[in-house]
Amino acid sequence: MDLPPAATLNRRQPPELSHCPQLSRRFLALLIVSFVALLEVMVHLPQQGEVTPNAYLTSQLLRDNGSSGSTGERFSGNKVRTYRGRHFQFQEIASQQQQQQSIFGPDLTPNCVKWAVVTTIHKPNESIFGVSKLKNWCLVIVGDTITPLAKYEELAMEEGVFFLSASYQTQHLASNPFISIMPFKSFARKNVGYLFAVTYGAKVIYDFDDDNILKSLEDNVTVPPPFFYRADVGFDKTTLLHFVESREQSEDSPAFNPYEFMGASHKYSWPRGFPIDSLQNYFETWGQTHKLGVGDMKYSSIGVIQSLCDGDPDNDAVFRMTRPDSTNFSFNHTATSLPLLIPFKKYTPYNAQATTHLYNSFWGLYLPISVPGRVTDIWRSYITQRIMKDVGLHVVYTPPIVKHERTDHDYLADFEAEHNLYGKTTALLKFLDGWTSAAKTLPEKLSDLWIALYEHDFIGLLDVEAMEEWIKFLLGIGYEFPIPNTDESLISDWRRVVSS
């Protein structure tokens, strides 16, 4: 039970300690607890533009105990605390940062440009075996404390497959400041795999989950890779795609639901992480006439490619619990189906289950550790898209390249784990849409944004510290951060071909 600040307690004269030792111990304990409560309030005392202490205490009580009225209270996203740590200084860090040797071991010398990353606690299955067989791809599997060792050690004997067991991470990697922060029994342990891939030459990273299986072609044998990359061409080649030419509804919302444009078999559906309080506006105009154009874009202007999936796609618990046949889902996937370019000024959630990240967006791979696993990849997607707008990178949704055979889940438990998605997403998008930074480098922008997210209660302090170490790690292995661009004429590198 939370005690009020000491200043609100009635003053009483303490009894003589020698005559009432039991009462004196209780009084001292109460005094100590009250003093700790007062310190908690003092830590959150407002500066200019912050909420008042009383407002902070009220919000804490409401969050912990529910609203005192007949309804709840919407999360505001207002600033509730101030970061007291040292702000990231790119020039200082960059001048001190020397090219570091790989922490993953001198005996490892992979040199792949196309990598796939997965973390799992299950034995190898069709999803993992399928990726391990991709020609000219490398796979890193990040183990956890209960991942079956023998099966993965055997799989790691295959060329291009690497397994980082929990014991290996503890014995050989824990001295690294970033990796030491990463918790076990956490989906965010995947961050170790991302850095492994970048360290060993990745230009493309396929970020997948162990229950998403790459689909074969019509011959039911050939499994195409998630992305075709040739070093001699790099990212200068173009891709044909659809873009939304006109859209009248939901102009006030920064959120964009791609399902309507991708031939979703379920009407009125949405991806996990889409703000649930924006659904009604989308439903009211679902299926109404809208224009799709066709254009092409260089891959150098694309940061992340999200694949849809057939079967049981990445919907939230609300959809799964309220829709009949919710696990029987499909999207357009014909020879003429095209990827969809997400409108540049909008935000669309993408996940860590079947996404391809291109080199210029590797800085945005970090999965936060202070939020639940059902939230972490969605928060990553929205935060990364905000910075992508400063460097001219786009998000693309593609027709399904995977089918999802989901392991057993408790939908109600998923609902609980997705609490932040339902209560905070709208506030997060509003905050991101209005956030600005005067920083000149992308690492400094990243640091500024994650500090602001902490101050507005979207993430915890540990993520601010982890982000600084993440940036340092990338700098240390020679990753080249994109340069922020304020020239909007250079931010939309696409050409319209036809309208349909």
Side-chain angles (χ1 to χ4, degrees):
M1 176 179 177
D2 292 333
L3 292 175
T8 65
L9 298 177
N10 295 324
R11 295 181 178 273
R12 296 181 181 179
Q13 197 68 25
E16 291 292 333
L17 299 185
S18 58
H19 297 296
C20 195
Q22 189 173 24
L23 182 59
S24 67
R25 286 196 297 270
R26 290 177 181 173
F27 176 78
L28 287 174
L30 179 61
L31 184 63
I32 291 170
V33 171
S34 300
F35 180 68
V36 170
L38 180 61
L39 284 179
E40 171 70 9
V41 175
M42 292 175 66
V43 166
H44 293 91
L45 282 176
Q47 295 185 352
Q48 187 175 3
E50 294 187 42
V51 295
T52 64
N54 285 340
Y56 173 76
L57 287 175
T58 301
S59 67
Q60 292 296 101
L61 288 170
L62 286 173
R63 186 173 69 178
D64 294 340
N65 304 316
S67 171
S68 59
S70 60
T71 186
E73 182 171 298
R74 179 185 285 265
F75 177 79
S76 68
N78 292 333
K79 185 175 181 179
V80 297
R81 54 198 175 204
T82 298
Y83 177 67
R84 307 291 185 185
R86 187 167 178 266
H87 285 249
F88 186 86
Q89 299 294 325
F90 173 74
Q91 297 298 338
E92 179 183 340
I93 297 297
S95 64
Q96 297 174 357
Q97 201 78 17
Q98 297 180 350
Q99 193 80 5
Q100 63 187 31
Q101 293 183 341
S102 171
I103 65 167
F104 296 106
D107 296 333
L108 294 176
T109 56
N111 188 23
C112 290
V113 295
K114 295 173 290 188
W115 280 86
V117 179
V118 68
T119 186
T120 183
I121 59 173
H122 304 292
K123 64 183 181 181
N125 56 15
E126 186 179 355
S127 171
I128 292 174
F129 282 131
V131 174
S132 71
K133 295 174 182 176
L134 290 175
K135 187 177 180 180
N136 297 323
W137 280 73
C138 285
L139 167 64
V140 55
I141 303 158
V142 184
D144 213 316
T145 53
I146 60 173
T147 304
L149 292 178
K151 294 290 185 180
Y152 284 102
E153 289 172 347
E154 180 181 348
L155 182 59
M157 299 297 291
E158 300 290 332
E159 183 179 359
V161 178
F162 302 87
F163 173 52
L164 308 179
S165 67
S167 60
Y168 173 83
Q169 296 173 56
T170 301
Q171 294 171 20
H172 299 284
L173 308 182
S175 61
N176 178 269
F178 175 79
I179 295 178
S180 67
I181 297 174
M182 294 299 103
F184 283 105
K185 299 181 180 178
S186 167
F187 189 65
R189 200 74 197 173
K190 217 175 190 183
N191 289 322
V192 180
Y194 303 144
L195 293 179
F196 185 93
V198 181
T199 297
Y200 291 114
K203 300 295 183 185
V204 175
I205 292 179
Y206 175 53
D207 186 11
F208 75 105
D209 206 1
D210 60 5
D211 53 6
N212 281 262
I213 303 166
L214 287 171
K215 297 178 67 172
S216 61
L217 298 179
E218 293 180 359
D219 61 7
N220 293 322
V221 176
T222 307
V223 178
F227 187 80
F228 293 92
Y229 177 84
R230 286 172 42 195
D232 59 332
V233 178
F235 298 111
D236 284 336
K237 69 176 183 177
T238 60
T239 181
L240 200 63
L241 42 74
H242 275 138
F243 63 91
V244 181
E245 196 170 59
S246 64
R247 186 70 174 169
E248 295 182 359
Q249 57 93 15
S250 299
E251 289 300 323
D252 293 334
S253 172
F256 178 80
N257 182 359
Y259 275 19
E260 176 186 357
F261 303 92
M262 304 294 288
S265 60
H266 275 262
K267 193 176 182 181
Y268 307 136
S269 53
W270 63 94
R272 174 172 59 93
F274 187 84
I276 202 165
D277 52 340
S278 294
L279 289 175
Q280 191 63 40
N281 289 337
Y282 267 89
F283 292 168
E284 288 175 356
T285 57
W286 185 286
Q288 292 184 7
T289 302
H290 52 261
K291 275 192 173 183
L292 282 180
V294 177
D296 60 22
M297 173 176 282
K298 286 185 177 181
Y299 281 109
S300 58
S301 292
I302 297 174
V304 178
I305 303 169
Q306 167 74 71
S307 167
L308 295 169
C309 73
D310 288 334
D312 185 3
D314 190 20
N315 297 320
D316 60 29
V318 170
F319 183 88
R320 287 190 169 113
M321 290 192 295
T322 59
R323 299 301 177 88
D325 208 21
S326 65
T327 60
N328 185 15
F329 210 115
S330 63
F331 297 89
N332 282 347
H333 190 203
T334 65
T336 58
S337 299
L338 290 177
L340 176 70
L341 180 68
I342 302 304
F344 188 71
K345 294 183 178 181
K346 297 290 188 177
Y347 293 82
T348 292
Y350 58 79
N351 58 35
Q353 299 183 11
T355 52
T356 301
H357 301 252
L358 307 187
Y359 183 85
N360 280 340
S361 68
F362 282 178
W363 48 267
L365 279 163
Y366 173 71
L367 290 165
I369 57 179
S370 61
V371 295
R374 298 287 295 169
V375 177
T376 182
D377 54 346
I378 303 302
W379 258 213
R380 173 183 76 172
S381 73
Y382 285 139
I383 296 166
T384 300
Q385 283 175 81
R386 173 59 192 88
I387 301 292
M388 286 171 69
K389 298 179 192 309
D390 288 347
V391 293
L393 293 175
H394 297 255
V395 175
V396 170
Y397 260 62
T398 71
I401 65 169
V402 294
K403 59 180 179 179
H404 190 194
E405 295 184 358
R406 198 175 194 231
T407 53
D408 290 339
H409 274 240
D410 182 328
Y411 292 161
L412 200 56
D414 283 352
F415 177 83
E416 179 64 26
E418 293 166 357
H419 174 76
N420 284 350
L421 299 183
Y422 307 128
K424 291 188 174 183
T425 297
T426 294
L428 175 63
L429 296 185
K430 180 180 178 182
F431 166 78
L432 291 172
D433 212 37
W435 177 83
T436 59
S437 169
K440 302 300 183 183
T441 69
L442 193 144
E444 288 170 315
K445 280 182 176 288
L446 276 174
S447 178
D448 286 353
L449 178 53
W450 283 79
I451 287 172
L453 289 165
Y454 161 72
E455 293 180 334
H456 289 256
D457 202 23
F458 293 106
I459 59 168
L461 180 60
L462 202 56
D463 274 315
V464 178
E465 299 169 357
M467 175 50 61
E468 180 163 340
E469 296 302 331
W470 169 267
I471 294 170
K472 289 179 181 178
F473 194 111
L474 290 175
L475 288 171
I477 59 177
Y479 175 73
E480 297 180 7
F481 286 83
I483 299 173
N485 190 349
T486 57
D487 185 351
E488 292 207 5
S489 66
L490 300 178
I491 284 179
S492 294
D493 178 25
W494 61 271
R495 294 184 295 115
R496 187 175 72 174
V497 179
V498 295
S499 296
S500 58

